[in-house]
Amino acid sequence: MQRAAMLNTIKRQIALQKAQRVVQPACDVFINHRGIDTKRSIASLLYHQLVLSRIPSFLDNKNMKPGDKLFEHIDNAIIGCKIGVAVFSPRYCESYFCLHELALMMESRKKVIPIFCDVKPSELRVTNNKLYSPSEIRRFGYAIEEAKNTVGLTFDTTKGNWADVVAYATELVQESLIEINNEKNPVQPAEIVY
């Protein structure tokens, strides 16, 4: 009886060790957004369209569960992704998390596809609200400037068609993934034998 209990304890410990070693699956696309502005609209619609297109994607409320370490989980997803989609909204720059994620995408040299949703690129700016250190303000400002100088999609929710912008963004992601994969695995010309 004691031996069986000890074996069960050992089995549970081995299973727990294996579970702790499980790494979050890599995602191809990280969707950066201001939750209060876009989570229940364009961010979720884009996530679902990407998943339907069999493109592994990361959206915080879809890929995280209670107990996950916020920064660790999100930072690992950004570092592991191939492309970032930054959904800018009027209050985007008020969020430390949005700015941190964007800065990390830029610092890790990810291709970033901006979607300017109800905001013009020229309206985006980091304000010094005394919550950020001078180095964070520089870091976030650089990331915002990089995004503003990147060709992206502009979407006006009062006039635009949600299906069209999500379909077009998905197409851009698919094309970008093909380009990235081709850069990593260039096709060698076939040797012609005479």
Side-chain angles (χ1 to χ4, degrees), residues 11-169:
K11 285 180 184 176
R12 279 196 303 270
Q13 288 175 337
I14 290 171
L16 181 61
Q17 288 173 346
K18 284 182 181 176
Q20 289 172 338
R21 282 186 288 207
V22 173
V23 179
Q24 128 191 8
C27 64
D28 287 342
V29 180
F30 183 90
I31 302 172
N32 163 253
H33 66 291
R34 172 77 192 234
I36 197 166
D37 294 341
T38 60
K39 187 181 304 288
R40 292 162 79 198
S41 57
I42 194 164
S44 288
L45 291 170
L46 179 60
Y47 172 82
H48 286 293
Q49 186 62 41
L50 292 168
V51 169
L52 286 173
S53 300
R54 298 179 191 239
I55 299 172
S57 302
F58 185 96
L59 183 64
D60 55 2
N61 69 321
K62 302 293 183 184
N63 299 79
M64 295 180 65
K65 58 189 182 306
D68 285 343
K69 301 282 185 208
L70 191 63
F71 280 105
E72 180 181 314
H73 210 72
I74 287 175
D75 289 359
N76 285 337
I78 291 170
I79 290 166
C81 77
K82 296 177 182 173
I83 297 173
V85 175
V87 182
F88 294 101
S89 56
R91 297 184 57 206
Y92 178 96
C93 289
E94 295 173 18
S95 167
Y96 177 87
F97 292 105
C98 290
L99 296 170
H100 168 75
E101 291 167 9
L102 180 65
L104 186 55
M105 285 190 287
M106 296 301 186
E107 291 161 355
S108 55
R109 302 205 177 279
K110 302 298 178 185
K111 178 169 187 170
V112 175
I113 300 171
I115 300 176
F116 301 101
C117 187
D118 293 331
V119 67
K120 295 176 183 165
S122 61
E123 296 171 330
L124 296 173
R125 62 185 45 86
V126 179
T127 56
N128 185 355
N129 56 7
K130 307 289 185 210
L131 295 176
Y132 309 140
S133 69
S135 65
E136 286 175 321
I137 291 172
R138 281 190 303 278
R139 181 175 175 246
F140 297 160
Y142 167 78
I144 288 291
E145 287 306 311
E146 283 292 305
K148 287 164 65 170
N149 292 311
T150 303
V151 177
L153 304 175
T154 303
F155 183 64
D156 180 340
T157 58
T158 62
K159 299 176 187 168
N161 182 312
W162 292 95
D164 290 344
V165 74
V166 168
Y168 187 52

